């Protein structure tokens, strides 16, 4: 990967803006919570953008309501969370969410090949980050973390 200092906040906002029409068409309002100052990550900008795009696309496709987007920074980690309502997910779905070709709803037609989250996981690993899914009652929260070096 070609690494450089990238403002992750700027990338998130750019990607969100690029999906404005999709949010409008589906009646989804993103609730965005990010630090006011820039947040820099030493990584490949196109890989980071692809991760954010994949997660937003996945949330738009499968959300049954509004989406929450949070960026937090501590002394040791940058964390990006995206949460959306996902009432029909089972524990089995959460376990296999990052497996290639896995679809939580096997009856889905035309909503992707089941590769978005596995690709996202692979990209996160290449960026030395982690990704995990966390069920929260009727919501799904995807958590991405990158160590601050």
């Amino acid at each position: 990967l070609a690494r450089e200092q990238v403002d992750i906040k700027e990338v998130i906002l750019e990607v969100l803006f690029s999906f404005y029409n999709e949010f409008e068409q589906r009646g989804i309002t993103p609730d965005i919570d990010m630090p006011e100052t820039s947040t820099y990550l030493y990584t490949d900008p196109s890989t980071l953008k692809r991760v954010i795009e994949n997660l937003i696309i996945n949330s738009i496709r499968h959300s049954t309501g509004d989406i929450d987007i949070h960026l937090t920074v501590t002394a040791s980690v940058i964390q990006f969370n995206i949460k959306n309502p996902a009432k029909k997910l089972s524990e089995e779905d959460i376990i296999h969410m990052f497996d290639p070709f896995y679809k939580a709803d096997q009856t889905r037609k035309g909503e992707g090949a089941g590769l978005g989250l596995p690709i996202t996981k692979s990209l996160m690993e290449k960026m030395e980050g982690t990704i995990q899914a966390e069920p929260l009652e009727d919501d799904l929260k995807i958590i991405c973390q990158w160590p601050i070096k």
Side-chain angles (χ1 to χ4, degrees):
L1 299 176
R3 297 179 192 272
E4 62 185 71
Q5 289 284 18
V6 180
D7 184 349
I8 187 171
K9 178 181 167 184
E10 187 177 300
V11 172
I12 293 168
L13 291 173
E14 177 186 322
V15 171
L16 282 169
F17 185 73
S18 74
F19 286 105
Y20 179 82
N21 288 336
E22 286 84 352
F23 284 121
E24 283 284 307
Q25 289 170 357
R26 296 202 186 226
I28 295 171
T29 302
D31 178 20
I32 304 162
D33 179 22
M34 294 193 277
E36 292 196 19
T37 58
S38 297
T39 303
Y40 290 97
L41 181 63
Y42 189 70
T43 193
D44 179 66
S46 61
T47 303
L48 176 62
K49 184 176 181 182
R50 177 93 184 267
V51 164
I52 305 299
E53 286 173 341
N54 283 358
L55 293 174
I56 291 173
I57 288 168
N58 193 68
S59 287
I60 290 171
R61 281 185 181 160
H62 305 297
S63 181
T64 57
D66 291 340
I67 296 171
D68 293 334
I69 294 165
H70 297 276
L71 180 66
T72 55
V73 183
T74 67
S76 61
V77 71
I78 295 173
Q79 182 170 305
F80 171 73
N81 300 334
I82 186 162
K83 183 179 81 165
N84 61 273
K87 293 176 175 52
K88 296 181 182 178
L89 287 178
S90 68
E91 192 172 317
E92 187 79 7
D93 294 333
I94 302 297
I95 291 168
H96 295 289
M97 187 165 286
F98 298 104
D99 295 350
F101 306 109
Y102 184 80
K103 294 182 182 184
D105 179 357
Q106 296 298 326
T107 62
R108 264 187 354 210
K109 301 275 190 268
E111 286 284 339
L115 290 172
L117 290 177
I119 288 170
T120 301
K121 182 177 182 182
S122 173
L123 294 174
M124 285 296 296
E125 290 168 355
K126 287 180 182 172
M127 291 190 296
E128 299 174 15
T130 60
I131 186 170
Q132 64 186 42
E134 181 179 304
L136 302 168
E137 294 185 24
D138 288 338
D139 293 338
L140 173 67
K141 182 177 180 182
I142 302 288
I143 303 162
C144 297
Q145 290 186 331
W146 297 269
I148 295 177
K149 297 181 179 182

